[in-house]
Amino acid sequence: MTWQQTIDEEKEISYEEGKIEKAIEDAENLLRLNILSPEQISQAIGLPLEQVLQIKENLSVKV
């Protein structure tokens, strides 16, 4: 593997991690607004329903 391939692979991993972090942040914000169900948030953002429910549970504990 060349250095460029390694750099490109790391960029792709970072990009994917950033997308997941953004989706989690969006889910948290939508759950705080309390206008959509976890199912709707899951569909809109593309996170698994189980993960949205876990985020909701974590938010309940923090408040």
Side-chain angles (χ1 to χ4, degrees):
M1 182 178 280
T2 68
W3 283 104
Q4 187 60 47
Q5 288 171 324
T6 302
I7 290 169
D8 291 343
E9 187 176 300
E10 289 298 320
K11 283 182 184 178
E12 182 65 27
I13 291 169
S14 294
Y15 176 76
E16 291 301 320
E17 288 173 352
K19 282 177 35 178
I20 293 168
E21 288 176 16
K22 177 66 172 140
I24 291 169
E25 181 181 314
D26 290 346
E28 288 174 349
N29 290 334
L30 289 168
L31 287 164
R32 283 187 186 105
L33 289 173
N34 200 31
I35 56 176
L36 297 174
S37 71
E39 292 81 5
Q40 291 170 316
I41 294 170
S42 172
Q43 288 178 339
I45 294 178
L47 286 176
L49 178 57
E50 296 77 24
Q51 189 170 5
V52 174
L53 293 171
Q54 183 63 47
I55 293 167
K56 182 178 179 178
E57 185 177 313
N58 291 345
L59 287 175
S60 298
V61 172
K62 290 180 185 179
V63 176

